[in-house]
Structure formats: C-alpha cells, structure tokens
Amino acid sequence: MLHFKKRIDQQTLPPDITRTAPLCMSHYKRMFNMTRIPKQGCDILHKAHEGDPSSQQITLLVNGHMFLVDVYDTSGDICSLDTLVQRLRACTLEAQCEVTPVAILTADDREIWAKNRDHLASLSPSNGQNLSSVDSSLFCLSLDSTRTRIKHGDSIYSSEDLTNARWDDHLHNTAYGMDGFNRWFDKTITLSVESNTRLGMMGEHSPCDALIPSILGDYCVEEPMHLAEFEPSNFTSESIPGWRRLDWQLDHHITAECQRVAQEAKSIVDDSDDSQLWFQDYGVSWIRGTAKLSPDAFLQMALQLAWLKDQKKPTAIYETASTRIFLHGRTEVIRSFSKESLAFVRAMNDETATASCAPFVSQRN
C-alpha cells in the first residue's frame, strides 16, 4: 500500500482509460490521510496537511487499544519489514489489558457522534491531539482475533455449493470486526488482518468511489513479495521506538456512551446477513456470445426479475454510471427500472406469456 501511495505522490501511476478516453485520477489522492469528521448538520472531509507528522503514520487498532505507528524513516523512505513487524509486535504486547474502546463511538449515529467527539476533545488537550492524529494518519490497520459464526458440525458449503460459510465469515468480519469493535469507521481505508491470516479491506465511501480502493487492493495482491523478508530469523524480540499508544481521558458520559453504542452496534451486526453468491453456470462470455446481450443489461434485468419473484412486487432500482471522463467526476445514477423492464419481468413470471409480451421473452428458456 505504501508503494502504491508513493506512485500516487510521484504521479507515476498510468492513467485509467476507457476505450475512448482517459479518466480523471483525482480520486487516488483522496484515499490516504483522509477522514470523514462528524459535524452537526453536515460532516466534513479532512485531508492531512504536508508536514503533519501524523501523515507519516498509520493508526493501529488492537483489542480496543489504539496506536500510532511510524511507517517511514527519518529520510522519508518506507521502513523495512523487520522494523514494521517489531513495532506492531510491541503494540500488540501493550494491548493485552481491557480498555474502554473509544473507537466504537464511530459506529454511532452521525449527529450523536459529532456531539460526543466534541465532548471527548473538550476533556483533555491530549484527546484533541489524538483525534487530530487519527484523522491525518495514512489509514487504519486492525489486528483482529478470528471469529466464526459456523457452528460445530455445520457444513461450510450450501446444498448447491453456491455459498461458502468461511467466505461469508470473512466478509462479515471485514465489515464489522468484533461487533463494531476495532474499527475507526470514519477513515477512508481500513485494513483488517485476522489471527488466521485472512485479510480484508473496508472504508468510508465519501472521499472516493469504491472502484479506486479496489484497484489499490488488486495492486497489493498482484505485486510480488520477497519471501526471504518473512523468514523468522530476521525478527528479534527487542522492542524499538517508532510507535505510541493513544491514551484517552474519559469521563462517565463517554464511558456510558461507549457501552450504549457497543450494545446498539451488536444488535445491528447480529441482524445483518452477509453472503457471497458464487455462480459458475455461465458468465460474460455466454451472455455476449450466445445470448447476444449486453452483460450489464442482462444483470440489471436479472436483479429486477429476482426482486419481483421474491417480493411479489417491483421496486425502484438504479445502477452507477461513472462520470470520471470529466474533471473531478465521480458517479451518476442510471434508472434502469422502466415500463419496458416491468413488462419484461412480469412476462418472465407468466407461463402464458409469448414473445410479443416483452422484448427477449422468447429467450427465457
């Protein structure tokens, strides 16, 4: 990730292009050192200023504790893997005791969190500095214990092998952590690493479109690693400087609010289902080559058909259209629900329908 940021800073990333034109790259500058800060009435986006020491650090969350970890040396170069591992180990050893998890407040209603953040900052100058440091840090790294919702004896596969409970666990844990704990939900990017080595990435959507962090993720997965750097012989147990724990001055109100938000977050998480459909019967090649249809249009109609079959009524639906062909463009909305699409999905559910009822009905079999 740090190498990717270096390429952003040096403007050496090749431009994203379509078949006809290059796309605006301004989104990439809003991935790192960004935070959405809650404010009464309307949140604001914060970008770290040049020279801010916190812009050279990451925010680490472990067992409810929070740390700032230096990831660059005094020359501005990325620290060695050995140095980073020793710092992360030192932080983990410091995070063994229970602590009031201040980060859970970011899971609250934005208006309430805005009030509580102001109150938290007013309790101590160090609290205000902690908040500012987290806001300006590069990104968050959450070290999580492994958690599963799979009960003993359960099969990890569905009857049709369309889902996998382990994958669903990973998705669930990446999004919510431990019932909302160990996340600072205001940060644009949060990496989560479970103790079983599963890694995920989540983030706050306001600064940039979701496609941009996904490109970052692809880059990290595809870049080669030097396995020799991971040999245990390279690591020592000696603690080194370059990190500090964020200690918070709390009062009864903030402590009680942390407890309340934790209960509410758990209720929401418990009521949230996460699953990934792994459909392998056919894909883009069949839709284009055999069905002679646009894959995008095909999926849009499939969504509308599925909703009507499940809910017995149509609903408004949209898909995202990129406007990055324009300077600072993000997305617009395509309203794919229409009289024609409604006629199609109704005809697909009507055994007596003929091809004249709606376009492409004759291809349903």
Side-chain angles (χ1 to χ4, degrees), residues 232-306:
S233 58
N234 289 345
F235 302 137
T236 68
S237 59
E238 181 182 352
S239 178
I240 61 174
W243 60 274
R244 71 179 179 91
R245 185 175 61 193
L246 299 182
D247 294 316
W248 304 89
Q249 302 298 317
L250 309 180
D251 63 0
H252 176 74
H253 171 74
I254 290 296
T255 301
E257 284 295 272
C258 288
Q259 295 172 349
R260 176 189 62 80
V261 178
Q263 293 176 354
E264 293 181 0
K266 185 179 188 310
S267 177
I268 294 173
V269 172
D270 288 344
D271 193 41
S272 300
D273 294 322
D274 309 88
S275 188
Q276 303 170 82
L277 173 66
W278 293 79
F279 183 78
Q280 302 183 65
D281 289 11
Y282 60 85
V284 170
S285 297
W286 182 88
I287 296 173
R288 284 177 175 159
T290 303
K292 306 298 183 183
L293 297 171
S294 158
D296 179 69
F298 187 96
L299 264 293
Q300 286 296 311
M301 298 311 301
L303 289 171
Q304 294 188 35
L305 177 60

Side-chain angles (χ1 to χ4, degrees), residues 81 225-234:
L81 179 62
M225 295 188 298
H226 302 290
L227 295 181
E229 295 183 354
F230 294 85
E231 291 294 330
S233 58
N234 289 345

